[in-house]
Amino acid sequence: MSRTNLDDVYELTPMQQGMLYHHLYAPNEGFYVEQTVLSLTGSPDQEAFWRAWQLVVDRHPALRTAFRWDGIAKPVQAVHARAALPRETHDWRTLPAAEQRRLLEELLRDERRRGFDLETPPIMRVGLCLLADDRFQIALRLSHLVVDGWSIGLMMSDFTAAYKAYVRGREPVLLAPGRFRDYVAWWKRQDPEAVGPFWRRYLAGYQPEPLRLDGGAAPADGPAFDWIDRSLGDLADELRGYSQRHRLSLHTLVQGAWTLVLGRATGSTDVAVGTTFAHRPADLPGAESVVGCLVGTVPVRSTLGPERQVVPWLRAIQDDIIAVRDNAATGLADIQRWSSAPAGTELFDSIVGFQNMPLPPFTLGEEGLGLEGFQLHTRPHTPLVLMVLPGDDLPLHLIYDRRRVDGARARALVAGVHDVLAAIVRDEPARLGDIPEAAAPARPSTDRAADPAPAPVTPAPAAGTETEAALSALFADLLQLEHVGRDDNLVELGLHSLLGTRAANRIHDEWRTLLPLQALFAGPTVARLAALIEAGGVADDRARDPRGHVDVLREAVLDDDITGREPVRWAAEPRRVLLTGATGYLGSALLERLLRDTPTTVVCLVRSLDPADGRRRVREALAAAGRWDDAFDARIEVLPGNLSQPRLGLAPDTFGALADDLDEIYHLGAVVNILPPYRRVRPTNVGGTREVLRLATSGSAGTVPVHYVSPAEVTDLADVERAGREVFVDTPPPHLYNGYIQSQWVADRIVGEAAARGVPVVLTRAARLIGSPVTGRWKVGDVVSDIVRGCVALGLVPDSDIALPVSTVEHVAAGMAALARRRDALGQAFHLTAAAPFTFAELAGALSDRGYQAVGVPLEQWYAELVRLSRRDPDGRWDLVLSVLGPWVRANADGWREPLYDTSRAHAVLGDDVPAPEVGREFIGQCLDYFAAIGHVPAPSATADAEPVRG
């Protein structure tokens, strides 16, 4: 983790750990995205508005916090010294009111689905939505990981004071707030075991009943969550009077009513309901002024016998609420462990929250602004959340998961709360059994006999395969146990949310295989997880990388100012061109081709300390590939830059001068690494492509052509009629396995959008890039050369008809250079692949020809053996091939096949000038000779007598 721009780093609280787990477990659900919409009158001073909100971010460390969990023992939160709040203004003043409401709902819904990037602060957004010249809304959206309801009130107070000062031309004067790190330190001083005896007694014998209120129906469409609002205004005065007479809080009355209604709906007489409360410890100085996530959620248990006296029952609930809060110095994972509930089950499926955020007086009347109202939208992970919002009429807000609770039952539950409270305060019944049941929804009938019987418990045998043994050791280490058997239930052994996140990361780092948290907890045994690893991971959830969700369609946005302008500066013989990626595998091949075949001067954008350092790097890259010629030196210029930075890391005047002085651009630079997640490669692979297109369109004398290279697999659509075609992409394929290919699809889409705007682009796509054994220019360690290496090491070859499209580096470099000299290629996409794909049958024949073992086995078995080999040979550098082949094997097992990419347009334009190479049995044999000569594989004599490797 870089220390650049960091103020502080500290651990997470137990509540934050649980929230982070649910975010990673279900990144698309919008859990813990808090949204507050304030409606105001008046016309805001927009500069003062945005300065005030930036000051709020600057004042509170929690709002400058990012979260880190990759590659470290436990998650941490990192406070940045500076976090710029995006200025998001929506001018909807000319639109009808209904359209304004639709746009706001769409904004909130889409952001909840997309969620926040937890690694990039601020983890909040403020939208200024202008509705009329004298009306606007503030759409405040934050992650619950960094704020709670109380904090929103503090933030609004700071904003109000700062806005008043800025409008008057003064600097705000505000008292220093409390620090969230002090709250984290408070948690670290607590001893969770000290409250263990309380929770063991309190939850002794409790067995949670599964929530069965869906009637067997799942929503056919629409969002997974919905809500219902219901006012208690007709009861408000009576509720307050009843609570005063019996010394009960309003929270207690609502908690009791909800517990009774829920128990009747589910048929349970022993019910636990979560209660959420502001957790600002009295022994923590300044706790009242801390912005952060200072909340707690704990279960409140109650029995519902019909003979129980109503008032004593309510007082018992109130006493329990106080008691559980006094014993909340631990996380829910510990409370669950101390309970008698089965491991892995939720203690409660519903929460009651009484919102008590300190909303400040809105004192901006002198500035011409007035508050009309506000709305709150939250999304905890539980299927039912009943909130009592601030207001004299005690508004109820029920959020429900439509997959667990249907709308009719949700409405009946809210109505039941109202009617139970009405009966209590108006009729003052003596016993619970005297409260009418008519309003509560009937309990759904269930066929208990249809539920599967629990499997008999048998001793877990020891781990068998190398993968099982390694997993057993991994989980024994995580769970701090001496031994974990292959069939032990990991949840019962103590695997919980935080450990699950760490386990998923360690499995990914160890086997380069994606096992989402869903898979960990759906089949929590070593045997099951080892089988998934050896099968290449989880097919259905490949996009749910534990490092974050990527909406590639939303990422593929090209800035409005990047558009083609006449004239197009195409040159038959270019005088000066820009090349990015010159030190890479393909870049060095293209650089050699340009220098040998054209008189052009090539400006190489290189990430280097200075031009001399960059020139050294370019020369070393060409020399290492056998491409250097001293005659090249005078026609190579080096420009230090950075693809991940605005204007390619160049000063504005340098960027402008370069745009005026180029005839064409070749953009090959990228982070070519499939292991990092999308967010790590996005700045270079996506941002760099945007900046290259910006450079091409910034010249004062017109637009220069851009030649861009992309992987052909971005066209691997499920629709076989459209897959593999030489067109600009608009639909993402189903198998965007990793961050690299996700970034390349986004960049490819952006280039296509630029072409639609008149930018003269030539898009070249290549399949898996391989070298040429004839020239000896093959940078081994790519997927194809490692597949060959794996087959030699195992003595096994997949017995499969699967074909792997490939491209040779020489063919792609020659094709790009030739396409650049044909003006009719502008605005089109081309595929440059070998004449025929690489096949396992041809590989097996070539191995036999050279005297290698080549026993055919099913693809799945071959991959499993390779996984086991990687454990026995930790220095064998199998990471790349496992990362690529894992999801690929799974997809092929599901029936998916890579398309044979269309090359008809490339052939029509290039003809026989740049022929596609053959990569059949003879070619692969030459590869084997070359690999043996450089030590990539052993010589045939070293493997001839070896038995095939089998686990």
Side-chain angles (χ1 to χ4, degrees):
M1 185 187 308
S2 171
R3 281 278 173 187
T4 305
N5 194 33
L6 283 187
D7 258 1
D8 207 349
V9 178
Y10 38 82
E11 297 178 17
L12 279 64
T13 68
M15 191 71 173
Q16 288 178 305
Q17 291 173 4
M19 289 179 179
L20 177 61
Y21 161 75
H22 287 290
H23 169 85
L24 298 175
Y25 183 90
N28 301 323
E29 295 287 352
F31 292 146
Y32 300 109
V33 174
E34 306 297 297
Q35 298 175 329
T36 300
V37 178
L38 297 97
S39 298
L40 301 101
T41 58
S43 178
D45 180 325
Q46 293 194 33
E47 184 59 27
F49 178 92
W50 290 116
R51 289 184 66 194
W53 275 116
Q54 185 62 59
L55 179 139
V56 174
V57 173
D58 294 343
R59 271 175 56 78
H60 298 288
L63 302 181
R64 293 179 276 111
T65 291
F67 294 84
R68 301 285 188 268
W69 57 91
D70 284 349
I72 52 179
K74 62 176 63 176
V76 297
Q77 44 196 328
V79 180
H80 288 227
R82 174 74 176 170
L85 180 69
R87 296 190 174 193
E88 180 187 303
T89 302
H90 304 279
D91 191 347
W92 297 334
R93 287 177 293 183
T94 62
L95 302 177
E99 179 65 6
Q100 292 174 345
R101 288 192 296 272
R102 186 192 69 78
L103 289 172
L104 177 62
E105 290 171 1
E106 184 179 82
L107 170 71
L108 300 179
R109 181 181 64 251
D110 288 353
E111 187 159 65
R112 184 175 296 284
R113 179 181 60 84
R114 187 169 64 251
F116 289 103
D117 177 0
L118 298 184
E119 293 192 305
T120 306
I123 310 177
M124 65 176 289
R125 293 292 181 269
V126 176
L128 174 59
C129 307
L130 305 176
L131 307 181
D133 289 342
D134 59 352
R135 288 181 55 248
F136 67 100
Q137 290 177 316
I138 302 175
L140 178 62
R141 298 100 67 199
L142 311 98
S143 169
H144 204 353
L145 273 159
V146 295
V147 296
D148 55 14
W150 187 291
S151 298
I152 293 175
L154 297 176
M155 293 165 61
M156 289 306 304
S157 180
D158 286 351
F159 166 76
T160 301
Y163 182 84
K164 290 170 71 75
Y166 288 139
V167 167
R168 288 169 169 74
R170 303 195 306 262
E171 286 297 316
V173 179
L174 301 171
L175 295 176
R179 302 186 309 166
F180 187 69
R181 81 148 12 255
D182 295 333
Y183 179 66
V184 175
W186 180 92
W187 267 106
K188 291 184 68 65
R189 294 194 297 270
Q190 308 309 303
D191 178 12
E193 295 300 326
V195 299
F198 167 82
W199 289 109
R200 290 187 180 94
R201 290 193 305 272
Y202 186 65
L203 296 174
Y206 174 63
Q207 296 293 318
E209 287 284 334
L211 186 67
R212 298 170 182 253
L213 296 176
D214 58 0
D221 53 16
F225 284 77
D226 206 347
W227 67 84
I228 296 169
D229 291 318
R230 174 72 183 262
S231 171
L232 296 179
D234 60 321
L235 299 175
D237 291 340
E238 295 167 279
L239 286 169
R240 292 187 177 94
Y242 186 91
S243 67
Q244 291 170 4
R245 289 195 305 275
H246 296 288
R247 299 188 303 281
L248 297 167
S249 69
L250 292 173
H251 182 175
T252 297
L253 294 179
V254 175
Q255 183 99 15
W258 176 256
T259 302
L260 181 61
V261 169
L262 190 65
R264 288 177 172 177
T266 59
S268 177
T269 59
D270 188 359
V271 178
V273 172
T275 182
T276 297
F277 56 94
H279 185 238
R280 296 182 178 255
D283 59 342
L284 177 62
E288 301 296 315
S289 64
V290 175
V291 165
C293 179
L294 291 83
V295 292
T297 300
V298 288
V300 177
R301 182 185 182 187
S302 183
T303 55
L304 304 175
E307 300 301 320
R308 292 203 65 171
Q309 301 294 303
V310 172
V311 173
W313 172 71
L314 288 169
R315 284 180 178 156
I317 289 178
Q318 183 161 281
D319 290 343
D320 282 358
I321 291 174
I322 295 171
V324 296
R325 290 182 179 180
D326 288 344
N327 289 276
T330 189
L332 274 176
D334 286 334
I335 295 174
Q336 201 280 340
R337 178 167 55 87
W338 292 323
S339 75
S340 57
T345 59
E346 297 283 356
L347 289 174
F348 47 84
D349 287 317
S350 72
I351 292 174
V352 172
F354 208 93
Q355 293 292 319
N356 59 349
M357 69 173 99
L359 283 176
F362 199 81
T363 57
L364 293 178
E366 294 181 9
E367 288 72 32
L369 306 184
L371 180 64
E372 284 188 319
F374 67 92
Q375 306 169 27
L376 300 176
H377 303 278
T378 188
R379 176 76 58 76
H381 76 278
T382 47
L384 284 166
V385 180
L386 181 67
M387 300 173 61
V388 184
L389 302 178
D392 293 338
D393 57 345
L394 299 177
L396 298 179
H397 183 67
L398 178 69
I399 306 164
Y400 64 97
D401 187 338
R402 298 171 64 210
R403 297 162 297 188
R404 302 281 299 278
V405 183
D406 64 43
R409 295 182 192 281
R411 289 188 291 273
L413 289 173
V414 177
V417 171
H418 175 277
D419 293 350
V420 166
L421 289 172
I424 289 174
V425 300
R426 290 173 178 169
D427 302 334
E428 301 220 10
R431 304 174 309 124
L432 291 182
D434 297 333
I435 298 174
E437 297 193 23
R443 180 182 187 230
S445 60
T446 58
D447 181 7
R448 295 285 181 173
D451 291 343
V457 178
T458 57
T465 68
E466 292 99 329
T467 309
E468 289 177 352
L471 268 182
S472 178
L474 184 153
F475 281 107
D477 178 52
L478 280 176
L479 300 172
Q480 298 183 356
L481 298 172
E482 290 186 5
H483 171 73
V484 173
R486 69 186 302 273
D487 295 317
D488 285 343
N489 187 307
L490 298 170
V491 172
E492 293 179 359
L493 294 180
L495 184 67
H496 55 72
S497 58
L498 177 58
L499 290 179
T501 304
R502 292 168 61 184
N505 281 336
R506 285 184 59 174
I507 288 170
H508 181 272
D509 293 340
E510 186 78 14
W511 286 279
R512 300 303 178 193
T513 300
L514 174 59
L515 285 190
L517 292 170
Q518 296 96 322
L520 281 181
F521 288 95
T525 69
V526 165
R528 169 65 176 157
L529 297 178
L532 286 176
I533 290 171
E534 293 184 353
V538 176
D540 291 340
D541 285 310
R542 278 186 294 273
R544 292 192 173 189
D545 190 318
R547 292 149 172 82
H549 168 66
V550 180
D551 185 338
V552 292
L553 284 170
R554 286 192 169 275
E555 286 286 310
V557 176
L558 186 64
D559 298 6
D560 291 340
D561 61 340
I562 299 178
T563 187
R565 294 180 296 106
E566 292 293 340
V568 172
R569 288 158 48 194
W570 184 83
E573 290 191 359
R575 173 186 53 84
R576 186 178 173 84
V577 305
L578 177 72
L579 172 64
T580 71
T583 60
Y585 186 30
L586 177 59
S588 61
L590 180 58
L591 177 56
E592 180 193 24
R593 176 69 63 169
L594 293 173
L595 293 170
R596 291 197 187 281
D597 295 353
T598 73
T600 187
T601 294
V602 182
V603 180
C604 300
L605 185 83
V606 181
R607 191 168 182 173
S608 59
L609 299 174
D610 51 44
D613 177 57
R615 179 175 291 277
R616 176 189 57 78
R617 291 189 58 204
V618 171
R619 180 168 183 157
E620 288 179 353
L622 267 68
R627 301 183 185 279
W628 178 254
D629 186 324
D630 289 340
F632 294 164
D633 199 48
R635 291 168 47 217
I636 294 176
E637 292 184 14
V638 171
L639 182 64
N642 189 335
L643 288 172
S644 67
Q645 299 299 315
R647 298 184 307 276
L648 305 176
L650 306 176
D653 55 345
T654 304
F655 188 82
L658 184 65
D660 284 338
D661 197 32
L662 292 175
D663 292 322
E664 57 196 25
I665 300 172
Y666 295 86
H667 180 39
L668 281 65
V671 177
V672 186
N673 187 343
I674 67 169
L675 302 183
Y678 173 80
R679 62 181 180 275
R680 300 283 194 228
V681 299
R682 177 183 184 271
T684 297
N685 295 4
V686 178
T689 302
R690 285 198 186 98
E691 295 308 302
V692 164
L693 292 169
R694 189 186 313 281
L695 178 69
T697 58
S698 296
S700 58
T703 308
V704 301
V706 175
H707 300 270
Y708 176 71
V709 67
S710 181
E713 61 187 300
V714 299
T715 66
D716 292 359
L717 302 178
D719 181 355
V720 295
E721 296 297 323
R722 299 176 60 210
R725 293 173 55 196
E726 291 174 294
V727 296
F728 293 108
V729 298
D730 56 11
T731 303
H735 303 299
L736 293 176
Y737 300 129
N738 52 64
Y740 167 72
I741 194 61
Q742 289 166 348
S743 71
Q744 292 301 97
W745 187 90
V746 173
D748 195 299
R749 178 73 188 91
I750 288 172
V751 171
E753 175 62 23
R757 297 183 188 179
V759 180
V761 301
V762 178
L763 175 57
T764 300
R765 298 194 186 102
R768 291 178 182 84
L769 205 59
I770 64 175
S772 168
V774 177
T775 62
R777 295 169 179 174
W778 189 322
K779 186 179 179 181
V780 295
D782 61 280
V783 173
V784 174
S785 68
D786 272 356
I787 287 175
V788 174
R789 183 166 65 98
C791 290
V792 170
L794 294 171
L796 306 173
V797 180
D799 184 7
S800 171
D801 62 355
I802 292 172
L804 283 71
V806 294
S807 300
T808 68
V809 66
E810 307 294 343
H811 179 223
V812 177
M816 290 188 71
L819 288 169
R821 307 281 61 81
R822 290 162 168 80
R823 184 161 189 158
D824 57 348
L826 297 179
Q828 299 190 69
F830 302 90
H831 292 167
L832 296 176
T833 65
F838 177 98
T839 67
F840 292 116
E842 296 288 316
L843 172 59
L847 286 167
S848 297
D849 292 344
R850 292 309 195 266
Y852 290 100
Q853 287 273 1
V855 178
V857 295
L859 175 63
E860 294 77 9
Q861 179 184 342
W862 180 85
Y863 180 79
E865 296 294 350
L866 187 63
V867 170
R868 295 165 189 164
L869 174 63
S870 73
R871 290 296 308 169
R872 295 191 301 272
D873 181 22
D875 298 325
R877 307 184 315 279
W878 300 106
D879 284 4
L880 175 65
V881 69
L882 290 176
S883 296
V884 172
L885 290 186
W888 183 79
V889 168
R890 287 291 302 173
N892 277 276
D894 293 341
W896 174 80
R897 295 293 184 271
E898 291 185 63
L900 299 180
Y901 301 110
D902 177 24
T903 60
S904 57
R905 179 178 293 154
H907 183 71
V909 173
L910 296 175
D912 295 327
D913 293 343
V914 186
E918 301 285 345
V919 292
R921 185 166 177 165
E922 181 179 351
F923 176 94
I924 298 172
Q926 293 172 339
C927 294
L928 287 167
D929 296 339
Y930 173 69
F931 292 161
I934 65 172
H936 184 62
V937 301
S941 59
T943 63
D945 298 328
E947 289 294 321
V949 176
R950 306 202 186 223

